[in-house]
Structure formats: C-alpha cells, structure tokens
Amino acid sequence: MGFNYAEEYKKWLEWKEEEEELLRMLKVPESTIKELRTYDWNEFKRERSIISRQIPTKEIFFVVRPTFDKKDIIDVEDLLNEINDEDLYMILSNTDRTTLNILLLRILGYTMDEVSKITGIPRSSIYYRIHLLKEKIKKI
C-alpha cells in the first residue's frame, strides 16, 4: 500500500488550522504563525518524500534480524557463502575470480579508480565485466 498524499495532506491541513486558531487566541503575531506554517509545510514535504520512496514488502516488513548475525565479507568465499538465492549462487560460482574480486571490492566501497589500481585492469574492462555479470543476472 502506497503513501496516500491527499489523505495525509488533509490531516496535516486540519491539524495546522486548529493549531493556528489556538495561536491566534493566544495572540501570537501573524508573522510567527506564518513562519511556523512554512516550517511545518517543509517538514511535511520532506517526510512525504521519504515515506513515498519506501516500499514495505512482506519480506522486509516482517523479518527482523539482529545486526550481530551479519558476517563481515572479507573475501570471495565469504561473498559466495552469504548468497541465499540458488540461481544467483550458480551464476556467481561459475564466474571468473577476477570479476568476483571486482564485485567484492565494489561491495566493500572502493571506487572504480581504486578498483582499477588494485586489480591492474583498465576501468573500461571493469565496467564491461560488471555489465556482462549484470546481463547474466538479469536472465534469471
């Protein structure tokens, strides 16, 4: 179920009008009320932006895993051991070690330039290897 903008905006508007009415009864200056409205509107838009991009799925919503269960991936073997999807595992286990090392370095946060320096492979070749791997994965 997605974010219902119209419904949330209606709730926000009702809340805001009640708040402004109360502030006017307390003789708060109109400039302050206007500043508060602008601030609250920007917060509403920011929150809406975040919530509208979230797509809760059954797998994500109901599965709660403690962070201490996650194993640090240090080498290619660790990477392969952490894969639960059988088809993906078969593709990666049949992929050459150089491409898997590139993948591992990218997962660890290295930039393409750093990966190129570490492996001694030109950036264009790295991009091509990643492209081929993506194409294999897309087939499944």
Side-chain angles (χ1 to χ4, degrees):
M1 183 164 158
F3 181 76
N4 187 341
Y5 174 78
E7 184 178 312
E8 293 300 318
Y9 175 71
K10 184 179 175 183
K11 288 179 191 176
W12 179 84
L13 197 57
E14 288 174 5
W15 165 75
K16 196 65 196 158
E17 287 172 354
E18 288 176 17
E19 181 187 56
E20 288 176 356
E21 184 179 321
L22 179 63
L23 291 172
R24 286 186 182 99
M25 284 177 34
L26 295 171
K27 308 224 189 260
V28 175
E30 281 298 318
S31 61
T32 305
I33 293 173
K34 186 177 179 181
E35 285 178 37
L36 281 171
R37 185 179 191 89
T38 303
Y39 175 80
D40 287 339
W41 174 244
N42 289 331
E43 284 298 303
F44 173 76
K45 290 190 303 185
R46 184 185 62 78
E47 183 179 302
R48 177 188 57 132
S49 171
I50 292 169
I51 291 173
S52 65
R53 284 188 232 126
Q54 293 176 346
I55 304 171
T57 61
K58 186 170 78 173
E59 292 82 24
I60 295 170
F61 191 74
F62 293 108
V63 175
V64 178
R65 276 187 224 160
T67 56
F68 59 83
D69 284 352
K70 293 184 180 178
K71 183 181 176 195
D72 289 336
I73 298 174
I74 299 171
D75 60 10
V76 173
E77 294 305 318
D78 290 340
L79 175 66
L80 291 175
N81 289 336
E82 288 297 312
I83 295 175
N84 296 327
D85 186 278
E86 189 175 330
D87 294 329
L88 180 60
Y89 178 80
M90 289 307 295
I91 288 172
L92 291 178
S93 63
N94 292 326
T95 303
D96 64 292
R97 289 292 177 196
T98 306
T99 304
L100 291 176
N101 281 326
I102 291 169
L103 180 63
L104 177 65
L105 290 170
R106 291 293 293 152
I107 289 172
L108 293 175
Y110 288 93
T111 65
M112 283 300 205
D113 289 329
E114 292 169 334
V115 172
S116 178
K117 287 177 185 174
I118 292 169
T119 60
I121 300 172
R123 282 182 57 169
S124 59
S125 297
I126 292 172
Y127 280 114
Y128 183 69
R129 286 173 179 264
I130 291 174
H131 170 73
L132 290 178
L133 184 59
K134 283 181 183 179
E135 289 301 315
K136 287 180 187 176
I137 293 171
K138 282 181 186 177
K139 289 180 183 176
I140 63 169

